[in-house]
Amino acid sequence: MSQYRIALIVGSLRRDSINKKLAEALVRLAPKEFSFHRCEIGDLPLYNQDDDGNQAPQVKRLKQEVSGADGLLFVTPEYNRSVPGVLKNAIDHASRPYGQSAWAGKPAGVIGASIGSIGTAMSQQHLRNMLAYLDVPTMGQPEAFIHVKDGFFDADGNVASEDSRKFLQGWMDRYVEWVRTHAGEARTG
Ligand code: FNR
């Protein structure tokens, strides 16, 4: 049975992040042959094109983690109707130097949780725009805009309602198929 390594990128650095919790809940819904590694993005320097020829160790680490992955899972909040700056910073870093992007061809899923009723729809749309440019085949359906209210997660961090759990299981099942179908198509450039 093939093993699939997924680079998990959470767009929040907050200790009690609902997106981190959502990511952890999703990982528990994946089949055994899928393993997830959460990429650290909070220690990356601010992107500066002057450093392209001499990338910081943290940037090299991120690029290696992405390059070595069979797929990507982005779980992100929405900040001011877009992605948080830390996520954009990470995306920019691993896309450079020009011609040496780590992202190209890696199948991706995009999901996010918000306390607001549109559930990160704008943030996800902006992220999809970047991923399209970076040649990342991104699952289109089902979309998942998770509106987190009090009680969404139980004390163990599981999704409390059965309906929400079923919905997320369906999302994960489709994501797994997406990665299986598109893994191995990664290109350089
Ligand atoms: C927010 N939040 C927010 N929510 C939303 O639905 N749309 C938005 O545009 C914004 N904008 C925004 C900007 C900034 C700077 C902050 C700090 C927050 C609220 C956001 O959904 C909430 O803080 C979540 O809890 C953030 O996700 P994590 O950090 O808990 O994963």
Side-chain angles (χ1 to χ4, degrees), residues 113-184:
S114 163
I115 57 171
S117 58
I118 65 164
T120 74
M122 290 284 287
S123 173
Q124 290 188 41
Q125 205 54 49
H126 284 197
L127 177 55
R128 285 177 182 281
N129 215 43
M130 294 172 220
L131 297 177
Y133 174 72
L134 291 168
D135 224 4
V136 171
T138 306
M139 183 172 81
Q141 296 292 338
E143 297 174 304
F145 308 123
I146 310 300
H147 181 194
V148 171
K149 298 183 200 158
D150 281 350
F152 184 86
F153 297 105
D154 67 19
D156 298 322
N158 294 307
V159 173
S161 106
E162 198 182 334
D163 282 353
S164 298
R165 257 198 328 272
K166 270 191 192 150
F167 173 77
L168 289 172
Q169 185 66 65
W171 189 92
M172 178 51 81
D173 292 348
R174 287 283 296 274
Y175 171 74
V176 161
E177 280 315 303
W178 184 260
V179 172
R180 284 194 176 121
T181 303
H182 295 283

Side-chain angles (χ1 to χ4, degrees), residues 12 14 16-20 77-81 113-116:
S12 173
R14 196 166 78 88
D16 295 326
S17 162
I18 55 176
N19 283 278
K20 219 185 291 173
E78 178 171 289
Y79 277 6
N80 299 315
R81 297 288 182 258
S114 163
I115 57 171

